[in-house]
Amino acid sequence: MCGIVGYTGNANAAEILVNGLKNLEYRGYDSAGIAVLNENKLNSYKSKGSLDMLEDKLANNGKIVAGTGIGHTRWATHGVPSDFNSHPHSDCNGKITIVHNGIIENYQVLKKELLTKGHKFDSSTDSEVVVHLLEDLYEGDMVQALIEVDKLIEGSYAIVAISEDEPETIYGLKKDSPLVAGIGREENYLASDIPALLSKTKDFYIFEDDEIAKVNREKIEFYGLNGKLLEKDVFEADWDADMVDKKGYDHFMLKEINEQPDVARRIMADRFTETDIDLGDIEEILAGDYKKIMITACGTAYHSGVIGRFLIEEFADIPVDVEVASELRYKKNFIDKNTLMVVVSQSGETADTLAALRLAKKQGAKVVALTNVIGSSVDREADSSFQLMAGPEISVASTKAYVAMVLVFYLLALKLGNLNNNISKARLKELIAGLKRLPYRIQETISEFDEISKEIAESIKDYKSVFFIGRNIDYALALEGALKLKEISYIHAEAHPAGELKHGSLALIEDGVPVFAITTRENVAMKTLSNIEEVMARGGQVNLITAKNIEYDKIEVDNKLILPEMDNIWSSVLAAIPLQLISYYTALELERNIDKPRNLAKSVTVE
Ligand code: F6R
């Protein structure tokens, strides 16, 4: 979603802002802008479209000399993508300007009052009320004005402001939307996300809600809502700037698919004894006595949770509910102190997931988070966190973080099963040996299915609809396969429990319609094979993704993708890979914007 960068120092602020924003392009945006303080005058440059278009605009304005500025990439919520709705937004006199991520929920009421007072608005955004409020409340002390603004606005916000009165200072305030301060040498930064600044610094202060930062070249000060100075710890990021490079791949998505063997290795390094798994800090919470487990997440992370449910129920014999986070707080949830809540979020900032986490804590549940971003809101607010260690995921379509989530659910399920004495030592030993082999099998799967994935992509690219079927854990994979395909190729894709097809959607199967069937589990594979027959009888094109030891010979399908041989338990990890590759190559055939699909954002910080 929207991205923010702020800078103050001796370098060329415009260049630093645009480069920082480029590092956040992956989050998705539809317009961009910067404001810089040039000889104590505020100048804004904004453009609908890409950062390249903003750069053209900047180039047309000659050399912009400025040491302080703020920049923003906007993902439209209130008001269409346009130059005038782009941030930064300035007050009536053009003396103060702000950028904002999030949503100001009470902006209509505030705007009405501000209009009555004579303020002039230039945009149809919710964000613009913030700068007019600052204009009203500023009496020479920006920290105080931001404290007052914080009391008036409702919703989620990361706000960065500059003013002509203090040409070398940038200010930040946040609630429910991430903001960090980057520590440099005689220069300092603000940004919505750490990757924006990784090429500049590894040292950060992470904002807590309702904290205000005053940032100038020499120092960064944090204030609470009572106006008192706060002590903050420095957070050292362990991601490298080159981790956000394409490293020769055409797209981040393909690079990230190929990183999956290493991700698996990192997750599993130093975790195993012969018959036990070390899950670090979260073990204390796992050892509690729970009546049930609830998993909550959104999108792809939710799909990993559906797999998690099957695994935990199978290995640990504990009932598990899995809920879409955006739905959880609008239903009766039965969460209490006897519930172990597992919250899954790659970014750790997904607004709905965060809201579900807070609700669970409020109702007394213990919360374990699985997240890829240390220091993210989910990471900090959970009782304990497990790091997915996938490294920065830049492609909007999640691949390596998804596989990391699935793997962590395996570890979690086996650990809980061991704690419950539900798995014999001998079986656990076998399973641990399987886990250790998994990175090699993931590598093999990527290499083996690259070519066939291209061929399948070519064969499905012109269809309007594609179906994915599977039963049990294979249905969870079908859900993810359909999401991956639709989000980057824009082909309509639906997943069904295989047995459900004949209760409606079979009506859509006709000559050539592509159907992906997944059969990795013996106990349901034969049933799914019958459903495949039903599809073939109607002329559907069947692509079967199957584990080696399933009796797939019984059926002649259009394409058979046979996963590398290993205990079928692990096939759910492996089966995800051809699904990712087929989606990637289909989107490539269709010349889609693979890493930044239309209308989508990497980190969904609004509800
Ligand atoms: C799709 C995808 C999304 C995310 C979802 C949750 O490929 O990545 O569906 O999984 O937006 O995001 P996180 O995991 O950051 O909470």
Side-chain angles (χ1 to χ4, degrees), residues 334-565:
F334 304 101
I335 298 169
D336 60 23
K337 64 179 178 9
N338 298 313
T339 311
L340 170 64
M341 191 79 181
V342 182
V343 171
V344 194
S345 175
Q346 186 283 130
S347 63
E349 300 294 349
T350 301
D352 286 312
T353 308
L354 198 53
L357 180 159
R358 289 175 180 160
L359 177 87
K361 278 186 82 173
K362 204 162 137 204
Q363 289 182 213
K366 281 277 180 239
V367 178
V368 164
L370 312 186
T371 175
N372 198 32
V373 181
I374 307 176
S376 61
S377 305
V378 165
D379 178 45
R380 283 176 292 129
E381 294 190 29
D383 293 302
S384 189
S385 264
F386 190 96
Q387 298 307 319
L388 294 170
M389 288 179 280
E393 192 177 61
I394 306 297
S395 162
V396 164
S398 182
T399 52
K400 62 174 179 172
Y402 166 77
V403 160
M405 290 164 187
V406 171
L407 274 173
V408 174
F409 272 119
Y410 273 96
L411 298 180
L412 209 62
L414 296 183
K415 182 78 199 181
L416 288 166
N418 201 23
L419 286 168
N420 273 0
N421 293 320
N422 205 53
I423 314 175
S424 72
K425 291 285 171 225
R427 179 69 179 134
L428 193 58
K429 203 168 153 184
E430 253 172 44
L431 291 166
I432 288 174
L435 272 169
K436 287 182 179 162
R437 281 197 297 276
L438 207 45
Y440 303 96
R441 297 291 174 269
I442 294 175
Q443 184 63 65
E444 224 176 296
T445 313
I446 296 172
S447 313
E448 208 163 294
F449 291 136
D450 196 60
E451 242 0 90
I452 179 111
S453 297
K454 287 180 193 163
E455 286 163 25
I456 293 177
E458 170 67 35
S459 76
I460 66 170
K461 72 175 195 320
D462 296 322
Y463 283 91
K464 293 250 172 310
S465 264
V466 175
F467 293 85
F468 290 76
I469 58 170
R471 287 169 185 255
N472 187 277
I473 216 159
D474 294 334
Y475 168 57
L477 282 158
L479 285 169
E480 178 56 11
L483 177 63
K484 214 81 309 166
L485 183 69
K486 77 180 103 175
E487 71 176 320
I488 58 168
S489 74
Y490 316 152
I491 297 176
H492 168 243
E494 268 183 45
H496 290 283
E500 277 290 293
L501 208 54
K502 59 181 165 297
H503 296 289
S505 298
L506 200 58
L508 300 174
I509 305 296
E510 53 185 354
D511 253 4
V513 170
V515 177
F516 287 85
I518 304 149
T519 56
T520 67
R521 290 299 177 105
E522 292 93 333
N523 60 335
V524 285
M526 287 309 131
K527 297 278 177 204
T528 305
L529 291 186
S530 311
N531 304 125
I532 294 173
E533 300 277 9
E534 291 159 11
V535 169
M536 292 199 306
R538 274 107 194 142
Q541 174 211 129
V542 175
N543 302 290
L544 175 66
I545 298 173
T546 181
K548 192 138 196 159
N549 355 1
I550 305 286
E551 286 187 67
Y552 50 81
D553 304 343
K554 291 201 171 144
I555 197 150
E556 257 327 301
V557 292
D558 295 85
N559 288 298
K560 236 177 239 177
L561 282 71
I562 301 157
L563 298 166
E565 184 157 18

